[in-house]
Amino acid sequence: MKKRSLILLGFIIAKFILQYLLISPAYDLQRDEYLHLDQANHLAWGYISVPPVTSWISFIIKLLGNGVFLVKFFPALFGALTIIVVWKTIEELKGSLYALVLGALAILVSVILRINILFQPNSLDIFFWTLTYFTLIKYFNTNNSKWIYMTAIAVAFGILSKYNIIFLLAGLLPALLLTPQRKIFSDKNLYISIGIVLIIILPNILWQVRNDFPTLRQLQELARTQLVNVKRMDFVKEQFMFFLSSFFIIIAAFIALLFYKPFKKFRFIFFGFIFTVGLFIYFKAKAYYAIGLYPILMAFGSVYLEKILCNGKWRYLRPALIVIIIGVGLLFIRVAFPYRSPVEIASHRQVYKKLGMLRWEDGKDHILPQDFADMLGWSDLARDVDSVYSKIDDKAHTLVFCDNYGQAGAINYYSKFKNIDAVSANADYINWIPFDKKIKNVILVQDPDDDDTARTKEKPLFDTIYRVGVNENIYSREYGRKVYLLKGAKTDIMKIIAGEIAKKKNSQ
């Protein structure tokens, strides 16, 4: 095996080791992971929350046993593939070993390492953004039309992974028109490839049409409840934080794309970055939506730095840059990963507060970073529900109904009762509620902000109501969450739930 291949293999191994080491066993999975895993039980060409590719991976995980090791394996895999694509891009740009190591290391200890600890579409999204850029670079370097078709495949599966890649395309279109690379629009293969993209994503488009475009409604809800708390300057500041250890490589990439003659044909990447970031800022997007823009910049910046530091008085900076990336990267790892227990993090909360990591989607500061708090209390909830469910004789006519998708997904993932089928009038679970089921008992899981401990609303509908559990973990995002048992339904409960959901939809 060649030296380069051995070094790349070393980066890949290090990638997988870090992804498993940087999560303390004190944490469960995160809220979104449970929803994505439950989609394996409801395969479709679309979901309210995400396109279908994540559910395909979830199905593979389910077939292989649904263990946490596998849940964490796949985002680590897509992170490793991103490193490989950056490595191949550097080779395509005629970078040597130093540039390869610099670029791979920059990706390894960046925010992408943080993204890859969770089973979410974000890891796939970043990979397909990077792959799209790589295939375009290959096309303009070789004039071989097969790379347009490879771009089409990357874009199509990128869309089926997360619709966020549409912002990449929206930025690339004017960027290409501004540069000589607009010649791509005269290649008939481009339009054939666009047809291929449409064919691949057509089942998802039809699903959206049949379901009255639920993703658009979700985006409206997101804008109303979360993006309203996003400050545009915070978006800009967080871009610096994401690649703090290697930001000098991004600056080098900008300089190279604008002024380095061998990279002139790739100037559209710089303009694409500007247009896409501009769109994100205008729409008050979350900062991490833009992360997919950076891996390809690492390739250009690394090659350019290698060229200007290859000899002469600046040569001594070559090892210094490696040390900077590792040193700052280790500082980043110290605060950005849940390898410490919640108690340890809380005892150092001022450090996290200064970095803005305690600010949640509600715009307020809390004890732990939101993602960390969202990885606590879920297995305890499943145990509380199981302890009640096990004592119910008529399980066939019992419904586990939750306030949010995280609760429903966690119960379905951890419960020892494989047919418990917890649901919610939230996210994709709204489509999985068994409205034709005759219900006599309900195990009700209520959000922490629900203060109706007497259940006055449900009392007339059931013979008896008991509170059977409460989340007392102060570090959990769901601290104060309650579990109730509602026994002996006096009316058609599913009809009431259907009516409440209809009212909710009409009010949106």
Side-chain angles (χ1 to χ4, degrees):
M1 188 179 287
K2 293 181 179 179
K3 182 179 180 180
R4 285 188 177 189
S5 299
L6 283 171
I7 293 174
L8 176 58
L9 179 62
F11 275 110
I12 293 170
I13 292 171
K15 172 70 177 175
F16 278 99
I17 291 173
L18 286 173
Q19 298 297 170
Y20 286 100
L21 283 181
L22 293 175
I23 304 177
S24 166
Y27 297 90
D28 295 326
L29 299 178
Q30 194 259 5
R31 175 188 305 259
D32 291 351
E33 295 180 280
Y34 298 116
L35 171 62
H36 301 321
L37 290 168
D38 221 353
Q39 287 167 350
N41 301 310
H42 306 273
L43 292 177
W45 271 104
Y47 301 90
I48 296 172
S49 56
V50 291
V53 167
T54 304
S55 71
W56 303 344
I57 300 168
S58 297
F59 188 71
I60 295 171
I61 293 172
K62 178 185 175 182
L63 291 177
L64 296 175
N66 233 17
V68 172
F69 179 87
L70 283 169
V71 175
K72 299 303 180 184
F73 172 82
F74 281 95
L77 173 64
F78 296 122
L81 290 174
T82 301
I83 291 176
I84 292 172
V85 174
V86 170
W87 187 279
K88 292 299 180 182
T89 304
I90 292 171
E91 289 183 334
E92 183 67 23
L93 298 174
K94 310 303 180 186
S96 298
L97 185 58
Y98 178 77
L100 291 166
V101 171
L102 193 67
L105 187 61
I107 300 297
L108 179 64
V109 296
S110 71
V111 70
I112 296 174
L113 186 66
R114 175 73 175 79
I115 293 289
N116 293 155
I117 69 171
L118 299 178
F119 179 62
Q120 296 176 338
N122 301 322
S123 296
L124 269 169
D125 188 45
I126 294 167
F127 167 66
F128 281 120
W129 281 52
T130 310
L131 187 61
T132 298
Y133 279 123
F134 172 71
T135 54
L136 284 174
I137 290 167
K138 290 288 290 187
Y139 169 72
F140 289 119
N141 251 359
T142 65
N143 290 316
N144 188 332
S145 294
K146 80 171 184 180
W147 290 105
I148 294 184
Y149 295 106
M150 295 302 293
T151 301
I153 293 171
V155 168
F157 282 95
I159 292 173
L160 291 178
S161 299
K162 188 171 182 177
Y163 300 122
N164 190 45
I165 199 171
I166 292 171
F167 284 94
L168 167 65
L169 302 178
L172 275 175
L173 177 61
L176 287 167
L177 289 171
L178 278 175
T179 64
Q181 276 56 53
R182 68 179 71 91
K183 66 182 181 180
I184 192 174
F185 295 106
S186 63
D187 190 332
K188 67 178 182 180
N189 294 286
L190 172 66
Y191 303 97
I192 297 172
S193 68
I194 290 173
I196 292 172
V197 171
L198 292 175
I199 291 170
I200 293 174
I201 69 173
L202 181 60
N204 180 248
I205 295 173
L206 293 176
W207 182 90
Q208 291 284 349
V209 172
R210 284 196 301 268
N211 290 275
D212 195 25
F213 296 97
T215 300
L216 293 180
R217 294 199 303 272
Q218 188 209 26
L219 289 174
Q220 291 170 347
E221 179 72 9
L222 180 69
R224 184 179 65 83
T225 60
Q226 295 182 22
L227 299 187
V228 69
N229 296 314
V230 174
K231 297 178 181 178
R232 290 188 172 95
M233 282 309 300
D234 285 347
F235 176 96
V236 175
K237 286 188 290 187
E238 287 185 48
Q239 303 307 304
F240 290 93
M241 296 299 297
F242 287 153
F243 294 90
L244 189 62
S245 66
S246 53
F247 199 77
F248 60 89
I249 300 180
I250 297 171
I251 299 299
F254 290 155
I255 295 171
L257 288 168
L258 286 174
F259 305 111
Y260 186 50
K261 191 173 181 180
F263 292 167
K264 185 178 179 181
K265 71 172 77 170
F266 305 119
R267 196 167 292 169
F268 71 90
I269 292 176
F270 171 81
F271 292 120
F273 175 92
I274 297 299
F275 286 126
T276 299
V277 168
L279 286 171
F280 281 138
I281 293 174
Y282 176 79
F283 286 108
K284 299 180 69 175
K286 296 181 182 181
Y288 72 84
Y289 290 0
I291 291 174
L293 289 165
Y294 294 98
I296 209 69
L297 293 177
M298 294 298 177
F300 282 94
S302 296
V303 173
Y304 182 61
L305 286 171
E306 180 184 61
K307 299 299 182 185
I308 64 177
L309 301 178
C310 62
N311 50 46
K313 62 180 180 179
W314 301 110
R315 188 177 179 85
Y316 73 92
L317 288 177
R318 288 161 65 95
L321 297 185
I322 299 291
V323 171
I324 289 171
I325 291 175
I326 295 173
V328 179
L330 290 174
L331 292 176
F332 164 72
I333 287 173
R334 286 190 64 190
V335 295
F337 292 83
Y339 69 91
R340 290 173 168 173
S341 71
V343 176
E344 290 176 298
I345 292 175
S347 66
H348 296 86
R349 76 183 296 265
Q350 288 305 316
V351 176
Y352 294 85
K353 184 174 182 178
K354 287 178 182 178
L355 295 172
M357 296 181 64
L358 298 183
R359 182 175 174 145
W360 290 9
E361 289 171 346
D362 61 8
K364 301 176 183 178
D365 282 352
H366 296 264
I367 300 176
L368 297 186
Q370 181 171 306
D371 272 351
F372 298 1
D374 237 345
M375 298 165 69
L376 294 167
W378 302 112
S379 55
D380 293 335
L381 168 63
R383 280 192 292 269
D384 285 346
V385 171
D386 273 2
S387 67
V388 181
Y389 192 75
S390 64
K391 298 172 185 175
I392 297 174
D393 295 328
D394 195 358
K395 293 181 176 61
H397 296 96
T398 298
L399 178 73
V400 180
F401 195 76
C402 306
D403 260 4
N404 66 63
Y405 65 84
Q407 297 161 353
I411 291 167
N412 292 337
Y413 182 78
Y414 289 113
S415 177
K416 63 183 179 182
F417 299 97
K418 297 308 176 186
N419 297 318
I420 196 166
D421 296 330
V423 293
S424 172
N426 179 234
D428 295 303
Y429 286 96
I430 200 168
N431 293 326
W432 304 337
I433 298 173
F435 288 110
D436 58 344
K437 189 175 181 180
K438 179 69 175 177
I439 297 301
K440 295 180 181 178
N441 311 302
V442 175
I443 297 175
L444 185 65
V445 182
Q446 292 294 97
D447 279 342
D449 58 2
D450 182 275
D451 57 1
D452 187 6
T453 55
R455 308 312 317 157
T456 54
K457 185 177 180 180
E458 292 90 3
K459 263 188 176 179
L461 308 177
F462 294 88
D463 291 333
T464 55
I465 295 178
Y466 308 94
R467 194 177 84 177
V468 295
V470 61
N471 180 11
E472 297 180 343
N473 186 340
I474 62 172
Y475 303 108
S476 170
R477 184 179 178 185
E478 296 250 323
Y479 171 59
R481 174 198 60 225
K482 304 171 188 69
V483 180
Y484 296 88
L485 174 60
L486 289 60
K487 293 190 69 176
K490 300 176 183 179
T491 186
D492 188 342
I493 297 301
M494 301 312 293
K495 186 175 181 179
I496 293 174
I497 291 175
E500 291 295 322
I501 291 173
K503 286 181 185 178
K504 183 179 178 181
K505 285 183 177 180
N506 291 334
S507 65
Q508 291 177 346

